[in-house]
């Protein structure tokens, strides 16, 4: 289920004209004509609403969750600077007048978390939209123009789940310039998924720091990070298929480096009797937990959230994750990583996130300064056109060198792995030329991915705030590397 994308902006004339037409209709409901400033503000935010609703008819392909609670849009409880009262007025008017309709009411989960009501476009919306966007080609043109709203914050500082004032930092302007340049670079490239245009706003970045300091967290977040991992392999950039290159066990590697120990030759997440993906999740829970051991209850809670995903060739059925299972799992992880066991349950995960955010920022810098290409990032995983692998290889070396100097650490030769779904005829040659023999590669056939996902919605798990909250506001449940 997608969340309403409130950060959007577009200069396309069709969106401007449609927003103006809706505002003219909206003003008829007013007993008195509002002041010009009020009309101007409503028109501005109606453009945001219209652009976001075009996404529902575009890549989102289904219902969206729209928060309509007043507290989200007013005062100290405002969810984001982009949640303005005028936007709420526009959304409520569109709902009231039948342009979008509720498909599922707001509800509360067993854990107490509220989920906003879901909505979909109606026939009435489609009838007015076709007046301004009558052809498929024109709709694609509109989607390509939907970018990040320039008023949306590029950097956020959070503590206990709340946004804080962005304090001074000598590098803040470097970060702002980097993100602004990256978001602008996105507009120069056409990105599609299974033939569908994906708007630039989906890949636009926000950097989020945690615990109220600039040394914890700092990762770069985008809506794109909610795509199913294998679906990402079906992306094309400027018509060319992509490759995803990932650090292999980055955070365990960094912990062994901190302990002054050589990295073990065995895989960080392979433990006999447990699915590898589950072990990886458990490891990350342990390094992010701030409370003393044992972490039994945290493991039970967070591992059960995605229990169905913990299956592989050796474990065709998802495990029963109960108290006994989690006690044994925690001990198995501790035994597997005995030399770095002292880091578990210390909350060190956010420090490691800061390290990988420095690497990620350096990769962005290399691409922005040395190439005309684009790299898409999911924290410590990078997606490029297959013909751009040589750029990525150089960018990763540059990042390791720069970060090692900044943190006064020894240079690390990164251990990498690649995955591809649609290899070019000369893929192996490109891979070898870029990385040499230091990188393993895996091919997941496009047909297998389509078979699993073709009958499912393209899932964007949540918007930038909720994606970030998963890392920023949960001590144990983060998906780290």
């Amino acid at each position: 289920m997608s969340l309403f994308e409130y950060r959007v902006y577009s200069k396309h004339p069709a969106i401007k004209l449609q927003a103006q037409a809706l505002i003219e209709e909206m003003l008829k409901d007013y007993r008195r004509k509002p002041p010009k400033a009020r009309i101007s503000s409503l028109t501005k935010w109606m453009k945001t609403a219209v652009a976001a609703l075009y996404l529902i008819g575009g890549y989102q392909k289904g219902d969206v969750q729209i928060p309509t609670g007043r507290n989200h849009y007013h005062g100290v409880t405002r969810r984001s600077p982009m949640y303005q009262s005028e936007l709420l007025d526009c959304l409520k008017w569109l709902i009231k007048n039948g342009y979008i309709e509720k498909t599922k009411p707001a509800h509360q989960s067993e854990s107490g978390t509220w989920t906003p009501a879901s909505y979909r476009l109606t026939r009435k919306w489609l009838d007015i939209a076709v007046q301004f966007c009558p052809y498929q080609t024109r709709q694609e043109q509109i989607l390509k123009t939907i970018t990040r709203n320039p008023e949306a914050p590029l950097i956020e500082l959070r503590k206990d789940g709340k946004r804080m004032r962005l304090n001074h930092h000598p590098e803040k302007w470097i970060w702002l310039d980097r993100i602004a340049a990256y978001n602008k670079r996105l507009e120069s490239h056409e990105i599609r998924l299974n033939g569908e245009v994906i708007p630039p706003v989906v890949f636009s970045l926000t950097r989020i720091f945690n615990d109220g300091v600039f040394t914890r967290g700092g990762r770069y977040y985008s809506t794109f990070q909610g795509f199913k991992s294998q679906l990402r392999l079906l992306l094309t950039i400027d018509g060319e298929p992509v490759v995803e290159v990932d650090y292999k066990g980055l955070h365990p590697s960094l912990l062994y480096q901190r302990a002054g120990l050589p990295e073990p030759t065995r895989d960080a997440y392979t433990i006999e009797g447990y699915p590898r993906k589950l072990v990886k999740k458990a490891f990350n829970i342990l390094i992010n937990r701030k409370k003393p051991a044992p972490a039994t209850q945290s493991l039970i809670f967070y591992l059960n959230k995605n229990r169905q995903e913990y299956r592989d060739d050796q474990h065709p059925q998802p495990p029963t994750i109960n108290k006994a299972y989690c006690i044994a799992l925690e001990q198995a992880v501790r035994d597997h990583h005995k030399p770095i066991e002292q880091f578990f349950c210390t909350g060190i995960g956010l420090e490691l996130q800061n390290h990988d955010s420095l690497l990620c920022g350096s990769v962005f810098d290399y691409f922005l300064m040395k190439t005309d290409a684009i790299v898409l990032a999911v924290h410590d995983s990078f997606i490029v056109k297959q013909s751009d692998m040589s750029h990525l290889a150089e960018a990763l070396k540059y990042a390791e060198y720069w970060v090692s100097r900044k943190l006064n650490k020894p240079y690390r030769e990164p251990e990498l792995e690649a995955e591809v779904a649609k290899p070019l005829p000369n893929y192996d040659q490109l891979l070898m030329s870029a990385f040499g023999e230091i990188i393993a590669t895996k091919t997941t056939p496009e047909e297998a991915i389509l078979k699993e996902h073709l009958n499912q919605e393209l899932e964007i798990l949540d918007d930038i705030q909720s994606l970030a909250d998963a890392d920023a506001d949960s001590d144990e449940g983060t998906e780290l590397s």
Side-chain angles (χ1 to χ4, degrees):
M1 180 66 67
S2 303
L3 191 69
F4 179 80
E5 182 55 88
Y6 58 93
R7 300 171 303 129
V8 298
Y9 175 79
S10 175
K11 294 182 179 179
H12 198 284
I15 288 182
K16 179 180 179 180
L17 291 172
Q18 188 169 342
Q20 289 175 340
L22 291 169
I23 286 296
E24 289 175 6
E25 183 181 349
M26 182 179 180
L27 292 177
K28 294 176 183 177
D29 293 344
Y30 283 70
R31 293 183 179 180
R32 293 184 179 179
K33 187 176 181 180
K36 288 185 178 180
R38 169 70 174 170
I39 295 175
S40 176
S41 184
L42 285 171
T43 303
K44 170 185 172 181
W45 290 102
M46 183 63 83
K47 290 179 186 176
T48 292
V50 171
L53 293 179
Y54 265 98
L55 297 184
I56 303 176
Y59 87 98
Q60 289 181 320
K61 302 291 185 188
D63 299 356
V64 296
Q65 296 170 351
I66 303 180
T68 56
R70 187 178 184 278
N71 290 342
H72 286 312
Y73 298 83
H74 293 82
V76 296
T77 58
R78 177 178 291 163
R79 191 171 189 182
S80 153
M82 301 305 298
Y83 275 66
Q84 294 290 328
S85 59
E86 291 85 355
L87 175 59
L88 178 61
D89 291 343
C90 291
L91 291 172
K92 286 189 171 181
W93 181 84
L94 289 166
I95 295 168
K96 178 183 176 182
N97 286 270
Y99 289 103
I100 46 181
E101 62 183 3
K102 185 183 296 186
T103 57
K104 189 175 182 180
H107 58 280
Q108 193 173 19
S109 67
E110 293 180 0
S111 62
T113 303
W114 276 97
T115 299
S118 302
Y119 296 83
R120 66 184 173 198
L121 302 176
T122 65
R123 182 76 251 175
K124 186 175 181 180
W125 165 268
L126 298 175
D127 287 342
I128 188 173
V130 77
Q131 300 175 31
F132 301 95
C133 177
Y135 304 112
Q136 177 66 26
T137 53
R138 187 174 297 178
Q139 183 185 38
E140 286 196 351
Q141 291 171 3
I142 291 178
L143 290 175
K144 292 176 185 177
T145 69
I146 298 179
T147 59
R148 182 195 188 89
N149 194 311
E151 295 186 20
L154 300 177
I155 300 174
E156 293 184 12
L157 185 65
R158 296 188 182 182
K159 186 175 183 180
D160 299 327
K162 297 180 180 178
R163 290 173 176 80
M164 302 177 62
R165 181 179 178 180
L166 202 60
N167 300 326
H168 171 73
H169 189 281
E171 296 184 22
K172 182 173 69 173
W173 300 112
I174 298 176
W175 304 335
L176 289 170
D177 288 345
R178 173 189 297 147
I179 300 171
Y182 179 87
N183 290 343
K184 184 67 177 176
R185 174 71 63 89
L186 287 167
E187 299 176 31
S188 304
H189 297 274
E190 180 182 275
I191 304 175
R192 292 177 178 264
L193 177 57
N194 208 26
E196 298 281 349
V197 170
I198 309 297
V201 67
V202 174
F203 305 95
S204 67
L205 299 173
T206 302
R207 192 176 191 190
I208 300 178
F209 293 91
N210 311 114
D211 289 353
V213 294
F214 291 113
T215 55
R216 292 176 65 79
R219 280 181 159 182
Y220 297 84
Y221 292 90
S222 70
T223 305
F224 161 67
Q225 293 164 9
F227 282 40
K228 293 288 188 180
S229 58
Q230 288 196 324
L231 282 176
R232 298 197 297 257
L233 298 175
L234 300 184
L235 288 171
T236 60
I237 299 176
D238 301 328
E240 183 180 317
V242 301
V243 59
E244 182 164 2
V245 177
D246 189 9
Y247 274 94
K248 188 175 181 180
L250 176 59
H251 285 184
S253 174
L254 294 177
L255 289 178
Y256 278 94
Q257 185 186 52
R258 287 192 177 209
L261 299 170
E263 295 183 40
T265 55
R266 60 187 180 181
D267 182 72
Y269 305 124
T270 299
I271 300 178
E272 186 177 354
Y274 298 97
R276 185 181 186 278
K277 191 172 183 180
L278 180 142
V279 173
K280 180 178 180 179
K281 179 71 172 181
F283 180 91
N284 291 314
I285 291 171
L286 290 174
I287 64 173
N288 278 278
R289 179 180 168 86
K290 297 177 182 178
K291 300 174 184 177
T296 310
Q297 293 304 315
S298 295
L299 290 167
I300 292 172
F301 178 77
Y302 288 108
L303 293 178
N304 271 306
K305 280 189 171 184
N306 300 293
R307 191 174 72 89
Q308 295 297 323
E309 296 183 8
Y310 305 130
R311 291 180 289 184
D312 53 31
D313 293 340
Q314 288 74 39
H315 306 86
Q317 297 298 323
T320 300
I321 302 173
N322 53 26
K323 182 177 180 179
Y325 185 90
C326 290
I327 290 174
L329 173 63
E330 179 175 356
Q331 189 59 52
V333 174
R334 288 179 177 275
D335 291 342
H336 194 68
H337 291 289
K338 200 69 176 178
I340 57 171
E341 186 183 10
Q342 68 270 25
F343 294 114
F344 293 155
C345 299
T346 63
I348 200 172
L350 286 175
E351 293 181 29
L352 302 180
Q353 285 188 38
N354 189 257
H355 190 124
D356 71 46
S357 77
L358 296 177
L359 293 171
C360 188
S362 298
V363 170
F364 290 146
D365 288 344
Y366 184 93
F367 271 79
L368 291 169
M369 293 185 296
K370 299 291 187 178
T371 78
D372 294 322
I374 193 72
V375 56
L376 308 177
V378 185
H379 306 318
D380 64 348
S381 180
F382 302 93
I383 296 174
V384 295
K385 293 192 296 186
Q386 292 174 34
S387 61
D388 285 334
M389 281 192 284
S390 59
H391 292 315
L392 180 57
E394 289 299 317
L396 290 169
K397 291 179 182 178
Y398 167 79
E400 287 289 352
Y401 173 76
W402 185 87
V403 174
S404 66
R405 289 192 61 184
K406 181 178 179 65
L407 300 180
N408 195 26
K409 301 282 187 182
Y411 174 81
R412 295 172 60 257
E413 188 67 48
E415 187 173 358
L416 306 168
E417 53 190 357
E419 189 171 5
V420 67
K422 299 183 289 184
L424 293 174
N426 61 338
Y427 170 76
D428 290 337
Q429 180 182 348
L430 290 170
L431 185 72
M432 180 65 69
S433 176
F435 294 100
E437 297 180 357
I438 64 170
I439 183 170
T441 186
K442 174 185 176 183
T443 300
T444 302
E446 179 181 6
E447 296 77 13
I449 299 174
L450 289 174
K451 182 178 179 181
E452 182 176 354
H453 298 287
L454 190 60
N455 296 322
Q456 301 178 15
E457 277 186 23
L458 172 60
E459 285 193 38
I460 308 303
L461 299 182
D462 226 320
D463 72 332
I464 183 76
Q465 173 172 331
S466 298
L467 281 170
D469 287 346
D471 273 345
D473 301 333
S474 170
D475 291 339
E476 300 95 13
T478 58
E479 283 286 358
L480 303 179
S481 302

